[in-house]
Structure formats: structure tokens, C-alpha cells
Amino acid sequence: MERFEYTAETTGTRLDVFLSEKQPELSRSHIQKVIESGGALVNGKAEKSRTKLKEGDIVSFTLPDPVSVDVLPEDIPLDILYEDHDVIVVNKARGMVVHPAAGVYNGTLVNALLHHCEDLSGINGAVRPGIVHRLDKDTSGVMIAAKNDAAHVDLAEQIRVKSAHRVYWAVVCGNIAEESGTIHGAIGRSQKDRQKMAVVLHNGKDATTKFKVLERYGDYTLVECRLLTGRTHQIRVHMAFIGHPVLGDPKYGPKKCPFAIEGQALHSKSLTFEHPVSKKEMTFEAPVPEDMQRIIDSLRKRQGIK
């Protein structure tokens, strides 16, 4: 249970709106369902989503326990870059969901890992075994999973303190003026569209992305991005925030894409980490997927780049 005090920054805010600001990782429809089930109390009393809050109200919010779901092993091919007793590093295909979620319980990376591996860490529960970090469904590239809890704890800490380094390549719209830069902008649920994330002034989570221009193609730019934090849709949100959305990303960029690609041209190019047991620094790279590479080759040809 989490407790929040309403301080009347905005007079008479609805209960569901207030909780959406406090829980940016949850959609408002999800929050409304929790409220309807009695998971939100105002001064100890169950209220409705439309209830208007008063200054000094104490709101208690409790998420229900997740419904048990049978996540079954599936014989799905994996592009394995490295594997030992503690970790497995894969090149995730664009279009593959990382772990089961509402409405998607098969065909995920977790289903494939359960078939391939005898053991996976259990820290993230039965639905996300082994998953230390995630990639969006339509983002391809390097990912690591843990085969035991000790490895999971170690890797998660490396990501938290930023000693593990993640490098992404993206083709973005427009010609970025700078050669490199750092984007600071807290990310939270968009107030205009609850299905999207956005850079927000209040109730967001700190997020920082570094970028460097690799090649320029006139109307498009190939950039390298490094994550200093790991927020939902971070690169996609940050690049759109500076006016250069990722090519092929209908959620944060133009609805139509002039190139043949399913999903955004965003690829997890490399991952560097310290092995949780041997303590050896390891780096793994994944080649850019064919459809994204064809776009880069076509843009290079237009600009006379060899």
C-alpha cells in the first residue's frame, strides 16, 4: 500500500487523475479498475474515480496481486550471442515481446528462454523469469537474461549504477544541428494520451540520454544513443522531444513511414557488462537488422556516402 497526501496544487482534482500523476507507469484505465475494485481509499473510505479531492486528504492506493498465469516454454528460435551457466545474451528480433503481459501470453522472449534454458532467475516472478532489462516490442538487438538469482541481482545493480553500458543506433527524422548532446527530461505518462509517455514537468522519473551523430542524410540522421537511465520508451520519447522522432515510430513520430520497416528503426547495438561470477568485462554486439540496414544503405546512396 502506498499513501499520498493531497496538497491542493490544483483544487478539486479527480481521484483517478491524482493517482495517474502519482503512478505514471500505470494507465488511467488501469487505475480506474483498481479504484472500482476498492483498491483506493480517501481518508480510509473507498471512493469513486470521479471523487474530487480536498486539501489534506490522505489517499491510500493498493495494487492487487497479479493474476497467476501459466507461462509455457515454446520452441521459438533464438539468436544467441553468448551463453554460460549464469547468463544468456541474445539478439532480440524486432516484433518479439520480451515477457508476457495483459493479452500476450505466448510467442515472447520469455517463452523461448523457458524452452531453451533449464533455469532462469526467479526474482521478477513467474511471468518475467530471467529478465534483467527490457526492450520494446519493436526494438531489436542485444539483451541479457540471468539464469540464477545471484547473477540477476549483480546485473541489475550494474544497470542501476550505470556500470553496464547500453549503446543504441537509431535513424531519426530530420537533420540534427548538433554533433552530440545530452537530453535531460523527466518521463511520465502523457496527460494528453494515457497510452503514451512524455517529458513532463511534474510526477515524472528522471531520465537522461546521450546522443552522437554518426551520419547525416539530409532529411534523416543516424545517431548513437547511450542510456544513463532506463525509462519506458526513453530514447523514443527523448528524440521526439527534441524534434527528431525515430523513423518508423507511429506512436511518437509521423503515422506514415516512407520506408519498408515494421516498427521503429531503433536497435540495441551493444551491451557491456561485468560478468557476475568471473568479473570479466564483456561486450556483445548485434548487427543491424536487414530492413533497417537497407534503409541506411538507401540513405547513404542518396547522399553519395560509401
Side-chain angles (χ1 to χ4, degrees):
M1 176 185 292
E2 295 189 72
R3 291 167 61 85
F4 309 102
E5 180 178 357
Y6 182 64
T7 57
E9 293 176 359
T10 304
T11 303
T13 300
R14 284 172 52 122
L15 176 59
D16 57 349
V17 173
F18 175 70
L19 286 173
S20 294
E21 294 171 349
K22 295 298 183 183
Q23 303 282 340
E25 71 280 4
L26 303 178
S27 68
R28 193 190 296 189
S29 61
H30 187 176
I31 287 173
Q32 288 171 340
K33 289 177 182 178
V34 175
I35 294 172
E36 290 170 6
S37 67
L41 306 178
V42 179
N43 302 322
K45 179 183 176 182
E47 296 286 358
K48 297 183 181 298
S49 294
R50 64 175 180 271
T51 297
K52 299 292 183 66
L53 298 175
K54 304 184 300 295
E55 185 168 8
D57 280 347
I58 302 298
V59 178
S60 303
F61 184 72
T62 304
L63 279 173
D65 293 332
V67 177
S68 178
V69 176
D70 290 330
V71 183
L72 303 176
E74 293 183 55
D75 188 4
I76 302 171
L78 287 171
D79 183 359
I80 300 172
L81 303 176
Y82 175 81
E83 182 179 13
D84 61 23
H85 293 298
D86 303 289
V87 301
I88 179 169
V89 182
V90 301
N91 176 16
K92 187 190 83 68
R94 185 187 301 110
M96 174 179 271
V97 175
V98 169
H99 60 74
V104 182
Y105 300 117
N106 53 54
T108 73
L109 178 61
V110 163
N111 295 106
L113 288 172
L114 287 171
H115 180 271
H116 177 80
C117 303
E118 292 184 2
D119 295 299
L120 290 169
S121 68
I123 287 176
N124 275 341
V127 176
R128 295 185 290 170
I131 301 303
V132 179
H133 67 111
R134 293 178 292 176
L135 293 178
D136 296 338
K137 172 187 174 183
D138 289 326
T139 298
S140 58
V142 185
M143 270 194 66
I144 187 169
K147 289 189 170 184
N148 54 68
D149 288 357
H152 190 128
V153 170
D154 188 284
L155 291 168
E157 179 65 9
Q158 290 185 51
I159 291 174
R160 188 187 72 81
V161 302
K162 309 177 186 65
S163 60
H165 304 292
R166 293 171 284 174
V167 176
Y168 293 75
W169 278 17
V171 178
V172 301
C173 300
N175 189 354
I176 299 178
E178 302 83 4
E179 291 298 324
S180 62
T182 300
I183 307 169
H184 298 290
I187 292 178
R189 188 70 58 179
S190 170
Q191 295 299 307
K192 296 180 180 179
D193 182 346
R194 302 300 296 177
Q195 301 303 311
K196 297 169 65 173
M197 308 302 288
V199 171
V200 295
L201 294 176
H202 305 290
N203 301 309
K205 295 182 178 179
D206 288 342
T208 302
T209 304
K210 288 183 174 292
F211 71 86
K212 178 175 69 175
V213 171
L214 299 178
E215 293 179 353
R216 299 180 183 278
Y217 312 121
D219 293 335
Y220 301 93
T221 308
L222 177 64
V223 295
E224 175 186 283
C225 295
R226 293 177 180 265
L227 293 177
L228 299 189
T229 52
R231 308 305 180 202
T232 301
H233 300 173
Q234 180 172 320
I235 291 174
R236 299 163 63 191
V237 171
H238 271 173
M239 296 312 297
F241 177 66
I242 65 170
H244 298 284
V246 178
L247 177 68
D249 185 353
K251 185 179 285 287
Y252 299 104
K255 299 298 181 184
K256 293 184 178 181
C257 178
F259 298 94
I261 186 171
E262 292 293 330
Q264 61 265 5
L266 177 60
H267 178 67
S268 175
K269 190 71 168 60
S270 71
L271 172 66
T272 299
F273 62 95
E274 182 184 87
H275 191 280
V277 175
S278 71
K279 302 305 177 184
K280 177 184 177 182
E281 183 176 272
M282 310 181 82
T283 298
F284 296 95
E285 293 192 6
V288 171
E290 290 183 6
D291 54 359
M292 183 172 167
Q293 187 62 55
R294 282 195 296 269
I295 292 171
I296 292 173
D297 291 342
S298 174
L299 292 170
R300 283 173 173 167
K301 187 175 181 180
R302 289 186 192 179
Q303 297 296 311
I305 301 174
K306 295 183 179 180

